[in-house]
Structure formats: C-alpha cells, structure tokens
Amino acid sequence: MAISLQKGQKVDLTKGNASLVKVGVGLGWDTNKYDGSYAFDLDAAAFLLGENGKVLNDEDFVFYNNLIHNSGAVEHMGDNLTGDGDGDDEQIKVDLSLIPSNISKVAFTVTIHEAEERRQNFGQVSNAFIRIFKEETGEELIRYDLGEDFSVETAVVVGELYRHKSEWKFNAIGSGFKGGLRALCLNFGINV
C-alpha cells in the first residue's frame, strides 16, 4: 500500500528495499472551470541538482525539449498538451542506479505553459499530485496530493528524490513560484 504524504514530510524509498532501482514518477492535475479563452497546458520537468541545489549544467534539466538526461538516469515520457483524463498526466522514469554520483537531488516540477500571456495560475488547478511507483509492476509506493495551497503561482516544485548516504528518500515539497518556468530555471541555476 502506498504511503500518503503531507507537505514537508520525508520518507525512505530504498531503505529496506535494496532491489528498488527503477521508479516511475507520475504527475497529474485537473483544471477548474474558468472563463478564459485558452486551454491549460501544464508541463512536468525534472532538475538534477548538485549539493548546492543547482544544476551542474543546462543538460541537467529534463523536460519536453530535452526528454532524456545524458546519463540515461532520468527520462521524460512526453508532453501531454491537454491534461485530459484520469491518472497521470505526465510521467518521468528514473533509474536510481544511473544517477551520477555528483547529483544529490532530482527535483520534480510542474509549470503552466505561457501562464502570463494566458492569465492562468495554480489557483485554477485542482487535484494536483505526484506519485512514485515501481516501474516494473506499477505498484504505487508514495503519493503526495498537493491540495489547494496556491493562488497566483505559475510554477510548483512538487517533490524531490534525494540521496542520503547510500539510500534514496523522497521529500514532499509543494513550493510555489511566481514567474513560471523562467523563475524556476533561475532558481535551479539554468541559463535563460
């Protein structure tokens, strides 16, 4: 049975489960009814971070225009332009055994494409979640439902996998940003 987390909670992922190497990260959301003329396009991404919480280079940003990290450790499964339907809207695969030793965290984010121009924000998004599951079986291990904490934010750091000694853990973050993808990229040290 999956562990359900609240904001700020941390949980061991690999401790006591040494055979766990390949995990899937599912991110999902619904959009509330709104009167705007634009559809919502939310985008999941992963930032591979060093000890200082920054990328080592721009290739450590895995998203719809850079689907696979050069190590092969993190792979984005493609952009969903509508978010329609139940379950995961976008997925990212992670092979923990391939994450380079100089990477200490993988942060998972969701942004709203062209949020400023379209006058959209996370106050108009509901039922957002992140879940970690075994890639081989689909068994859900961890789930974090974000709740309705956001109003004007256009980007969210949903959660992160992080290395603690020889183990991997998950941290439910739920931290919002104004300024969309650009603000998120600057926060993580990406040249924009």
Side-chain angles (χ1 to χ4, degrees):
M1 188 170 133
I3 298 171
S4 185
L5 298 180
Q6 302 295 318
K7 182 176 181 169
Q9 283 187 303
K10 299 175 181 176
V11 66
D12 288 314
L13 186 63
T14 57
K15 190 174 184 177
N17 195 359
S19 65
L20 184 63
V21 174
K22 294 183 177 186
V23 295
V25 179
L27 297 117
W29 50 80
D30 294 320
T31 53
N32 301 336
K33 296 206 184 304
Y34 103 117
D35 325 359
S37 55
Y38 296 103
F40 272 81
D41 177 12
L42 277 69
D43 297 309
F47 292 85
L48 286 79
L49 308 171
E51 256 330 293
N52 65 353
K54 307 283 186 200
V55 297
L56 304 177
N57 59 61
D58 289 356
E59 284 72 46
D60 290 342
F61 173 36
V62 177
F63 67 117
Y64 58 84
N65 275 339
N66 179 34
L67 291 175
I68 189 162
H69 187 260
N70 56 18
S71 66
V74 178
E75 181 179 1
H76 192 297
M77 301 312 295
D79 190 10
N80 176 338
L81 298 175
T82 66
D84 291 340
D86 294 331
D88 301 337
D89 290 305
E90 294 189 10
Q91 288 186 343
I92 298 171
K93 289 183 181 178
V94 179
D95 185 330
L96 299 170
S97 69
L98 296 179
I99 295 177
S101 59
N102 58 352
I103 298 296
S104 59
K105 294 179 185 174
V106 181
F108 299 97
T109 66
V110 177
T111 56
I112 301 174
H113 184 67
E114 297 180 347
E116 305 293 324
E117 300 86 334
R118 297 178 182 194
R119 298 177 185 225
Q120 297 171 340
N121 60 58
F122 274 94
Q124 299 159 315
V125 174
S126 59
N127 304 320
F129 68 86
I130 184 171
R131 68 187 193 97
I132 309 294
F133 59 93
K134 289 183 182 178
E135 187 182 315
E136 291 88 5
T137 64
E139 177 192 348
E140 189 171 289
L141 303 169
I142 300 168
R143 184 179 182 95
Y144 167 44
D145 293 298
L146 268 73
E148 310 296 322
D149 298 344
F150 309 102
S151 56
V152 297
E153 292 86 348
T154 54
V156 177
V157 178
V158 184
E160 68 185 10
L161 288 171
Y162 68 98
R163 200 186 305 259
H164 180 72
K165 298 179 182 163
S166 63
E167 303 294 339
W168 284 96
K169 297 184 176 202
F170 179 80
N171 184 8
I173 305 241
S175 177
F177 283 77
K178 290 182 186 175
L181 184 59
R182 184 174 196 284
L184 209 53
C185 286
L186 290 171
N187 178 67
F188 288 128
I190 296 279
N191 295 313
V192 289

